[in-house]
Amino acid sequence: MKFQLFNSSLFSRVKVRHWWIGIFLWMALVAPAQASVILRVAIQRGVNQVKVGSSTTAMVKDSTGRTLGKLPARSSFSAQSIPGGVALNRWQSGLFWIEPTDDGFVYIGDRWYRGRTLVLPTDKGLDAINWVDLEEYLYSVIGGEMDAGWPEEALKAQAIAARTYALYKRNQQRNHPTYDLGDSPDRWQIYKGVISESPATYGAVDSTAGKVLTYNNEIILSVFHACSGGHTENVEDVWGNPLAYLRAVQDYDQNISACNWVRTFSPKEISSKISGVGNVKDMSAQAYSPFRSVKVLKIVGDKGTKVLKGEEVRTALKLKSTRFSISRDEAGNFVLQGLGFGHGLGMSQWGAYNLARQGANHLQILGHYYQGVTLTPIKTK
């Protein structure tokens, strides 16, 4: 969904030089050749069966790498969980690799992806994992996370943030036996396969290839969100643990209509979302961040009291953000008037959009939202 921008003179008083204050960014003039980084992205997890295929003739291999046969191009097959392994077409094996020929795409579930497919059993069913080159993965992610029609510098900033985030998560999952990332935005990034690729996403990824953000020589947790409503947050006010590079900064996204929101809840609706309190009598903010996001929310019912902290506030009530005020209407409903969309940490995507439109480049955008970071080539291990 595209959001509409209101007319604003917000940036008429902002000078580009201000964005460089406190920024420490280093770009290697000549980066060494980068080895390919392969990501394992879980597309389906814990299912009884999954549809797979290939746009070209695909080789089917077992766990030893032995070729079992071929799948014809543009045909869908159901991989099914069986005791001790997987059944696919006429074969049974402990697991299957599906490798397209001639740079073909693989089909998983209901979408096309680059790379190859691994189908293997788990204690919950089947997992279908897309093994894909990091840069080709990003072709899709950028189009899923941002409108490809946005300014080029905003797309470049998103490419570097998304690459950094993917590798941070990969490092966290290093000991996981089957996958590094998922494909959804709740814990990972939006990954829809080739359908969200475009010339604009190719350009953003290719022009920033192999570059990530680091702090003290470590890849950062480069989180991002849709918009903050005027000011991002310090990470400890949302997730509890401080990080030197995720500091609250002025934002440039107040003019985004979708980031100004109102939600009305009846006491009964609050009761259905918050267990253990019974009929809700009152709901009030007990603590705020320095930028007026709710850090602690107290809900009082006739059977108990519940205190929500940090991100619990947003997720429990399924709110766009935690920056809101609470009032009661004549019917006794709770009216929440809010700003922002997302957790409010790191880069605001709509802020990046507005900054790019006003002439900021991708390094300036990143340096504003991630404090004291260094831009550096990927170091493979």
Side-chain angles (χ1 to χ4, degrees):
M1 184 175 80
K2 295 182 179 179
F3 305 138
Q4 297 298 315
L5 291 172
F6 295 149
N7 290 328
S8 173
S9 59
L10 175 65
F11 294 95
S12 62
R13 300 181 301 276
V14 179
K15 304 297 184 183
V16 171
R17 63 182 175 85
H18 292 163
W19 296 324
W20 286 102
I21 295 175
I23 297 171
F24 173 54
L25 282 174
W26 170 77
M27 169 69 82
L29 295 178
V30 180
Q34 299 298 322
S36 177
V37 175
I38 300 299
L39 293 180
R40 305 171 300 165
V41 187
I43 307 300
Q44 298 276 354
R45 287 183 289 165
V47 296
N48 291 325
Q49 66 177 26
V50 58
K51 290 184 178 180
V52 294
S54 175
S55 64
T56 60
T57 299
M59 310 304 292
V60 179
K61 299 180 180 180
D62 64 14
S63 59
T64 68
R66 179 171 60 98
T67 298
L68 302 177
K70 299 178 181 179
L71 291 182
R74 295 192 171 274
S75 298
S76 176
F77 298 86
S78 290
Q80 297 181 318
S81 177
I82 60 173
V86 187
L88 173 64
N89 199 6
R90 62 183 183 274
W91 308 291
Q92 295 184 3
S93 180
L95 57 80
F96 288 106
W97 288 99
I98 300 169
E99 300 181 354
T101 58
D102 301 323
D103 296 321
F105 302 131
V106 291
Y107 187 73
I108 307 173
D110 60 358
R111 290 177 178 158
W112 294 97
Y113 298 87
R114 293 176 181 268
R116 55 181 178 154
T117 305
L118 171 63
V119 182
L120 74 166
T122 70
D123 57 358
K124 296 181 180 179
L126 294 181
D127 284 3
I129 314 297
N130 179 209
W131 283 49
V132 61
D133 177 84
L134 168 63
E135 303 299 321
E136 294 184 344
Y137 161 81
L138 293 171
Y139 290 156
S140 172
V141 168
I142 307 313
E145 290 288 351
M146 271 190 176
D147 187 322
W150 279 19
E152 180 182 8
E153 294 302 313
L155 294 174
K156 288 180 180 179
Q158 181 68 70
I160 293 172
R163 182 182 295 110
T164 305
Y165 184 82
L167 291 180
Y168 182 94
K169 288 295 184 179
R170 178 175 179 260
N171 289 342
Q172 275 192 326
Q173 291 275 113
R174 187 169 293 276
N175 295 323
H176 194 283
T178 59
Y179 63 88
D180 304 313
L181 301 159
D183 64 350
S184 62
D186 51 348
R187 290 179 57 197
W188 318 104
Q189 303 183 108
I190 299 173
Y191 178 53
K192 299 179 179 179
V194 298
I195 194 172
S196 58
E197 296 181 6
S198 71
T201 69
Y202 302 149
V205 174
D206 292 347
S207 63
T208 64
K211 299 299 189 295
V212 293
L213 299 173
T214 61
Y215 186 87
N216 287 342
N217 296 317
E218 297 290 337
I219 289 177
I220 72 166
L221 175 58
S222 55
V223 289
F224 45 86
H225 58 283
C227 54
S228 71
H231 212 288
T232 68
E233 292 288 343
N234 293 315
V235 65
E236 62 268 24
D237 289 326
V238 181
W239 291 339
N241 296 320
L243 292 169
Y245 51 83
L246 287 181
R247 312 317 302 157
V249 297
Q250 180 184 355
D251 211 346
Y252 302 96
D253 57 8
Q254 298 93 323
N255 59 335
I256 308 303
S257 59
C259 300
N260 293 262
W261 55 270
V262 178
R263 286 286 304 275
T264 300
F265 295 98
S266 68
K268 184 177 180 180
E269 287 175 317
I270 299 292
S271 297
S272 68
K273 295 176 182 295
I274 308 298
S275 62
V277 298
N279 297 316
V280 172
K281 304 298 183 183
D282 188 38
M283 182 168 67
S284 60
Q286 301 294 295
Y288 293 91
S289 78
F291 309 100
R292 301 301 295 173
S293 290
V294 176
K295 291 177 62 176
V296 180
L297 183 69
K298 184 179 180 181
I299 300 170
V300 179
D302 60 5
K303 294 183 179 179
T305 298
K306 181 69 72 72
V307 174
L308 303 176
K309 297 181 179 179
E311 272 291 271
E312 292 178 334
V313 175
R314 185 167 68 101
T315 56
L317 297 178
K318 293 182 171 55
L319 303 175
K320 283 189 173 181
S321 72
T322 57
R323 188 167 294 162
F324 59 86
S325 60
I326 305 172
S327 61
R328 302 288 289 269
D329 63 16
E330 293 180 356
N333 298 315
F334 297 94
V335 180
L336 279 57
Q337 181 101 26
L339 289 172
F341 196 159
H343 47 57
L345 301 174
M347 186 178 72
S348 160
Q349 292 168 315
W350 276 106
Y353 171 93
N354 278 334
L355 287 171
R357 287 192 66 190
Q358 295 301 315
N361 65 40
H362 63 285
L363 298 182
Q364 292 169 319
I365 293 168
L366 293 169
H368 177 68
Y369 288 110
Y370 306 106
Q371 298 288 290
V373 297
T374 299
L375 185 67
T376 181
I378 294 172
K379 297 177 181 178
T380 57
K381 297 181 180 180

